[in-house]
Structures are given as C-alpha cells and as structure tokens.
Amino acid sequence: QVQLVESGGGLVQPGGSLRLSCVASGLIFSINTMGWYRQAPGKQRELVAVVTRGGSTNYADSVKGRFTISRDNAKRTVNLQMNSLEPEDTAVYYCNAHLTAFGGERDYWGQGTQVTVSS
C-alpha cells in the first residue's frame, strides 16, 4: 500500500520560514512528478510547486522567489522550503506524487499538514 506522509507544518510569523517534507513508501515501481498543493479555507486546492524525476521545477506565480522545491529520488522524498512567508500562504499543504505502484499508475496524496502564518 502506497503512503505519502508529510511533516513540518506549523505556526510562523509573517516573514518567517518553514520546511515541509514528504516521504513516499510502499511497493512503488517508479515516481514521476512530486509536488505540493495547498487549500485555504473556502478556496480550491491549488498547485504550489512540482518537480519532475529529472529535476525540472514549476512554481505558482505567488510563491516564485520565496519557495524552493527539491526531491531525493533515492529516498523518495520531496521537500518544500518556504521563506518570506505571508498570511496569504496560510493553508493545508498536501504532498502529491504521480507514480507507478503495484496497482498501476496514478496520483497519490498525503493527509495534509497545516501551515498558519500569523502574528
């Protein structure tokens, strides 16, 4: 059974930093893209950043220059370094992986981790 487990959320003041981590486990044959999405109250889930197996990245315009995504293919991890956090970054952050496992190829999601930016 494939699982994505996130860690690193919490409460931080505006201008502060947080680092989110996600590890994939289970009978996984290959992982294509890994990424982070977020959902604020009353809003739809949106892309934050994604990284391909080869290391190409894509960011939402709202986080460019502030957030950095990275992955370790051997460890099956993806991280999101978030700097210069703003109250608008407050949301539940979800790890996503598009991978091939015993049951086939599809998207998997973590359970979500809360990030709150407030003074």
Side-chain angles (χ1 to χ4, degrees):
Q1 183 176 357
V2 175
Q3 282 189 315
L4 300 181
V5 178
E6 302 124 332
S7 60
L11 172 64
V12 64
Q13 292 185 342
S17 298
L18 280 175
R19 182 178 177 85
L20 305 183
S21 295
C22 173
V23 59
S25 64
L27 188 56
I28 298 170
F29 299 142
S30 65
I31 303 177
N32 299 322
T33 60
M34 301 187 80
W36 292 91
Y37 290 71
R38 67 186 181 187
Q39 187 166 18
K43 295 187 177 181
Q44 291 188 333
R45 190 174 298 188
E46 63 176 1
L47 170 71
V48 177
V50 293
V51 57
T52 68
R53 183 174 180 82
S56 297
T57 59
N58 187 39
Y59 295 90
D61 287 343
S62 60
V63 306
K64 284 180 180 177
R66 300 188 297 122
F67 291 10
T68 302
I69 190 169
S70 61
R71 68 185 278 177
D72 184 322
N73 292 329
K75 295 181 179 180
R76 297 176 174 176
T77 59
V78 62
N79 301 306
L80 185 69
Q81 178 65 43
M82 305 185 292
N83 298 329
S84 302
L85 283 160
E86 303 168 352
E88 294 72 23
D89 296 316
T90 296
V92 178
Y93 284 69
Y94 295 91
C95 176
N96 168 272
H98 188 83
L99 57 84
T100 302
F102 186 75
E105 179 180 356
R106 69 174 181 92
D107 281 312
Y108 288 82
W109 296 89
Q111 79 284 359
T113 185
Q114 177 70 45
V115 171
T116 302
V117 184
S118 175
S119 55

